[in-house]
């Protein structure tokens, strides 16, 4: 296929599938290919998303140095191009990297920055994900009352924006934490 946007999209989807099935070597290969083609297409919006995905994969692999390197690159792209929505999403990813790397206080500061942006916008999915992550960080810091209060804020947003099935999933997951 000669269409670089389609090639980038193919590699993005392949990378996500391999990441979700924990075939990390293949995921990284495809995500790097997606970044290459997004760069060739001069599509910084898409590039920002692809670099964030690669950082997520390195995070899942426990390769925190590479995760930080890529997430900082994604933040730079988002900032330079004034992609406010992506900036908040990337901050959410960075917070999960901090949390998985054992830096829960920094994760909490970072997720609060993401939430301050997300609360001003219309990305209900991003907002619910960030609130959910903050709940997990608070529980990790043994701040249960705050986590429960925040979870109470999550439920009506998830119900209105995502439906009752999403609420059931959040409740089940929360009860397992």
């Amino acid at each position: 296929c000669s269409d670089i946007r389609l090639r980038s999209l193919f590699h993005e989807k392949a990378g996500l599938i391999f990441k979700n099935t924990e075939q990390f070597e293949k995921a990284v290969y495809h995500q790097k290919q997606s970044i290459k083609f997004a760069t060739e297409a001069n599509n910084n919006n898409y590039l920002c998303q692809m670099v964030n995905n690669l950082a997520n994969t390195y995070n899942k692999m426990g390769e925190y140095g590479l995760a930080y390197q890529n997430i900082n690159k994604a933040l730079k792209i988002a900032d330079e191009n004034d992609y406010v929505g992506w900036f908040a999403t990337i901050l959410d990813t960075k917070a999960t990297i901090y949390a998985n790397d054992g830096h829960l206080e920094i994760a909490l500061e970072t997720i609060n920055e993401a939430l301050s942006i997300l609360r001003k916008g219309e990305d209900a999915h991003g907002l619910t994900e960030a609130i959910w992550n903050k709940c997990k960080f608070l529980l990790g810091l043994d701040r249960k009352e705050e986590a429960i209060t925040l979870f109470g804020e999550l439920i009506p947003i998830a119900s209105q924006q995502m439906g009752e099935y999403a609420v059931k999933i959040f409740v089940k997951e929360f009860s397992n934490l």
Side-chain angles (χ1 to χ4, degrees), residues 110-165:
T110 306
I111 202 68
N112 282 335
E113 188 178 350
L115 282 166
S116 72
I117 296 167
L118 289 164
R119 289 182 197 283
K120 296 175 189 172
E122 297 178 12
D123 181 4
H125 176 77
L127 179 60
T128 55
E129 186 174 322
I131 292 170
W132 174 243
N133 284 333
K134 184 175 178 179
C135 286
K136 293 188 289 187
F137 303 159
L138 288 168
L139 288 172
L141 291 166
D142 203 31
R143 292 165 57 178
K144 294 175 184 157
E145 287 182 28
E146 288 176 76
I148 292 168
T149 301
L150 187 62
F151 187 72
E153 179 184 332
L154 171 74
I155 296 302
I157 296 169
S159 177
Q160 181 181 28
Q161 300 295 327
M162 303 167 87
E164 290 304 313
Y165 182 72

Side-chain angles (χ1 to χ4, degrees), residues 5 28 31 57 63 67 90 94 106 112 119 121 128 137 140-141 145-146 155 162 169 172 174-175:
R5 290 182 183 160
V28 168
Q31 288 172 331
T57 298
E63 297 285 345
I90 295 164
K94 189 170 189 175
I106 299 170
N112 282 335
R119 289 182 197 283
T128 55
F137 303 159
L141 291 166
E145 287 182 28
E146 288 176 76
I155 296 302
M162 303 167 87
I169 291 172
K172 181 179 178 182
F174 192 78
S175 68

Side-chain angles (χ1 to χ4, degrees), residues 16-73:
L16 291 174
I17 289 167
F18 285 122
K19 179 190 84 165
N20 291 335
T21 58
E22 298 187 356
Q23 297 178 59
F24 297 122
E25 192 174 303
K26 291 177 181 179
V28 168
Y29 168 79
H30 284 287
Q31 288 172 331
K32 285 182 176 181
Q33 289 298 305
S34 183
I35 289 167
K36 174 186 161 195
F37 292 122
T39 302
E40 285 179 23
N42 200 26
N43 187 337
N44 286 331
N45 189 3
Y46 195 64
L47 177 63
C48 185
Q49 178 185 357
M50 297 307 96
V51 176
N52 182 65
N53 288 347
L54 181 59
N56 248 326
T57 298
Y58 283 130
N59 181 31
K60 196 167 180 180
M61 294 170 64
E63 297 285 345
Y64 302 118
L66 291 169
Y68 288 122
Q69 179 184 338
N70 282 279
I71 205 65
N72 289 331
K73 180 179 176 182

